[in-house]
Amino acid sequence: MRYPHTMLATCCVPWSEDGELPEDVFRDSIRFQRGHGLDHLYLFGTAGEGHAVTDRQYDQIVAVFAEEMAGASPMVGVISLSTGTVVERIERAAARGITAFQLSLPSWSALDDAELGAFFDQTVGRFPELTFLHYNLPRARRIVTPAEYAVLSDRHPNLVATKNAGASGQTLDELFALAPQLRHYLTEPGYAAAIRQGHPQAGLLLSMSSINPALAGRLFAAGAAGELDTVERLSAELSGITAALVEALGGGRIDGAYDKCFNRVHDERFPLRLLAPYRGATEAEYAAFAAAVTERYPHWMP
């Protein structure tokens, strides 16, 4: 396979009231994850608000991230409607030593087959010395199918992994059957389903399990070892934690509103706000979530 069998975790970005980066809080959040064995970290997915940052913010945050991730395996996400902007941001991050990138499709209009190929040619194909993970999500207006991954991965040897958080059932089986050379990352429900369906090579994309990296590691190890009982138990607990989060915040918000609650569990300084116009959790909502998890699943709280 083209990418190691790992857990993959996101770095959310804290924002001050005036929309600037509190660098000390951001650095500490990266150090926390590295200190708990999470060396494959990525920046600027949906939870990391990669869709919302300016070029100035992008460059500033990538510089800090690259410095803190020295000796580890950093990955930088690039989200834009402009393929030219995607290329320029890859170039600037690569100049800082970043060699792994996460891409999502432009979403102003759903890409047709020719446009899909052109996007990968202009990004992944332009940088054969770099490696790429494709972030496959409905917000991009087109879901790349397992059969399409088979074609794209043959065409681009530096396409090494995917994020298919919502994949299930037959689609899961086809991902591993048709594009087995790619490491397919799944959030906790999808990971449990993959193990259930006989795919221990799945990568674990930390979401709600990031509140307790040690237990996230236990889930991942159990899946790799085929310990289905442990996977089912931890997965059921995480489903309950997800329910507590939705009870506290409601549904329908952008990912960062939920993920920043996980950061707050570890650092009371970590702001819950998102870049405008998106709405983060309120202090009361976070408190309700933390209280519910403490009551129902105290072993998941630090």
Side-chain angles (χ1 to χ4, degrees), residues 34 46 59 88-89 116 122 130 159 224 234 252-253 267:
R34 290 200 63 185
T46 310
D59 291 341
E88 291 173 0
R89 288 186 172 184
L116 177 69
Q122 289 297 313
L130 305 176
L159 176 63
L234 294 174
R253 298 196 203 175
D267 185 347

Side-chain angles (χ1 to χ4, degrees), residues 20 26 34 38 47-48 84 102 106 126 130 172 200 206 209 241 277 284:
E20 295 299 324
F26 183 52
R34 290 200 63 185
L38 298 173
Q102 181 177 141
R126 185 186 292 261
L130 305 176
L172 268 180
L206 272 63
S209 64
I241 292 172

Side-chain angles (χ1 to χ4, degrees), residues 211-228:
I211 65 173
N212 191 316
L215 285 176
R218 182 73 188 96
L219 173 64
F220 179 62
E227 299 172 5
L228 190 56

Side-chain angles (χ1 to χ4, degrees), residues 279-302:
R279 183 166 53 97
T282 66
E283 294 293 339
E285 289 168 337
Y286 168 75
F289 162 68
V293 177
T294 300
E295 178 184 354
R296 302 172 198 172
Y297 308 99
H299 55 290
W300 276 94
M301 293 297 280

